[in-house]
Amino acid sequence: MQIKLALTATALALSAATAAIAGSPQWSIFAEPFITNAHAQAIDWQKVDDTLGRKPAVSGDVRRYGFPRSDLNVTLDGVTIKPSLALGGWVAFKPAHGGAMVMGDLVLLETEITPVMTKLVQGGLEITAVHNHLLRANPATFYVHVGGHGDPLKMATALHDALAASKTPLTAAPASPPPAIDLDTAQLDQIIGVKGHNNGGVYAFAVPRRDPVNEAGTEIAPVGPMGVAQGINFQPTGGGKAAITGDFALTGDEVNPVIKALLAGGIEVTAVHSHMLDEQPRLFFLHFWANDDAAKLAKGIRGALDKTASGKS
């Protein structure tokens, strides 16, 4: 009898594994017997908040913590860049695999990269990319993308210690109403095809891709807080003009059609690179810059979005 039960259990396991291989991986089949104590108990997010020194923006099961470089005065082509335009460092935590996965993008000066990276590695986190987003910015800023899986409190501690090796403000600024957006935002919404929002005086769009993005068996969602949406930012520069920057999340076959569409719209392409290491589908992130009539630039962005598998509201 015991032999028959064992054989039946083995057959069921093999059948489940075969089904997972034939279609989308059913990670719960393999994870259920190995649920850790950390997963069985609710994560103490208050300790994570305390360690990082701020409250997160919560979207679904994702907690995103902002680390804007409000200490920096960065200019580009005569425009003083607001932190929410291109200097908004962040980390996001999502429960996964008996603990949490973390993804983030830290904004650093050139001299801060190695000290911060050293602390991240010592804390067990992964470096997934280091690069520019902008050209001609003064001072130049660089972006260190991080990832990790494990105990959320340990990862938060590693992130705090790493950021302490830079001059990133570790005390959150008091909340205050954002300055008004001196642009025709209804017109921008209509052109881009989704509703934007006022993010610290910058009108921001997060345009989702139609196809899901997965990493280590976990769907990276919500896409905006996790950094895999098409991020489009408009900072008013007066007279109906705006400085725009952000990034497109693209599959390989979309990269050059989007470059051509942006250039045709008078928008400069400033970087093309990866942000992650083993996501599916493989994504490339394309950054851009322009300062011109806001409606004109929105139409150029919309033309580029039309070359991607992105949705409209």
Side-chain angles (χ1 to χ4, degrees):
M1 186 64 176
Q2 290 178 341
I3 294 174
K4 288 183 178 180
L5 288 173
L7 288 173
T8 300
T10 302
L12 287 171
L14 288 171
S15 175
T18 301
I21 293 170
S24 298
Q26 303 297 312
W27 295 99
S28 60
I29 294 168
F30 305 99
E32 289 296 337
F34 306 104
I35 294 178
T36 65
N37 289 334
H39 189 266
Q41 301 170 4
I43 295 172
D44 189 343
W45 288 114
Q46 184 59 54
K47 289 184 178 179
V48 174
D49 296 353
D50 292 344
T51 299
L52 294 175
R54 63 207 61 223
K55 290 291 185 181
V58 179
S59 301
D61 64 348
V62 170
R63 299 170 70 87
R64 177 169 166 138
Y65 300 82
F67 289 92
R69 291 305 301 260
S70 55
D71 59 308
L72 298 178
N73 181 29
V74 179
T75 60
L76 199 171
D77 295 347
V79 176
T80 298
I81 295 175
K82 291 182 180 292
S84 52
L85 180 68
L87 306 173
W90 59 273
V91 292
F93 289 75
K94 180 180 178 70
H97 304 310
M101 67 181 294
V102 68
M103 295 174 59
D105 184 7
L106 309 180
V107 182
L108 302 173
L109 296 175
E110 186 175 3
T111 55
E112 297 173 333
I113 294 173
T114 298
V116 169
M117 187 184 297
T118 300
K119 288 289 187 180
L120 290 169
V121 172
Q122 289 174 347
L125 293 173
E126 292 185 329
I127 309 301
T128 60
V130 181
H131 47 229
N132 69 295
H133 288 181
L134 304 171
L135 301 175
R136 303 180 304 280
N138 184 27
T141 51
F142 296 85
Y143 302 77
V144 174
H145 292 261
V146 300
H149 296 84
D151 180 272
L153 183 55
K154 290 181 179 178
M155 293 191 294
T157 300
L159 285 160
H160 178 274
D161 291 348
L163 287 169
S166 73
K167 292 185 178 179
T168 302
L170 296 180
T171 300
S176 60
I181 303 290
D182 184 22
L183 294 171
D184 186 343
T185 56
Q187 182 185 41
L188 297 180
D189 291 346
Q190 181 180 29
I191 296 170
I192 299 297
V194 301
K195 176 69 176 173
H197 71 281
N198 186 341
N199 180 23
V202 170
Y203 202 59
F205 295 91
V207 184
R209 293 188 58 83
R210 291 196 292 269
D211 47 325
V213 181
N214 295 275
E215 193 268 343
T218 298
E219 183 175 347
I220 304 177
V223 292
M226 294 295 284
V228 291
Q230 324 279 15
I232 317 294
N233 300 319
F234 287 73
Q235 177 180 313
T237 54
K241 293 184 176 182
I244 65 167
T245 190
D247 57 358
F248 284 76
L250 305 172
T251 54
D253 59 327
E254 295 170 340
V255 171
N256 279 285
V258 167
I259 288 175
K260 292 175 183 178
L262 290 173
L263 293 176
I267 300 169
E268 182 181 17
V269 175
T270 59
V272 181
H273 45 229
S274 61
H275 284 183
M276 295 170 283
L277 298 178
D278 56 2
E279 77 282 2
Q280 294 295 328
R282 187 77 173 116
L283 294 178
F284 299 88
F285 292 79
L286 183 152
H287 298 262
F288 56 89
W289 169 265
N291 181 21
D292 204 339
D293 178 77
K296 170 189 170 183
L297 294 178
K299 291 174 184 177
I301 291 291
R302 183 65 252 174
L305 287 169
D306 288 340
K307 303 298 183 181
T308 74
S310 298
K312 295 183 180 181
S313 59

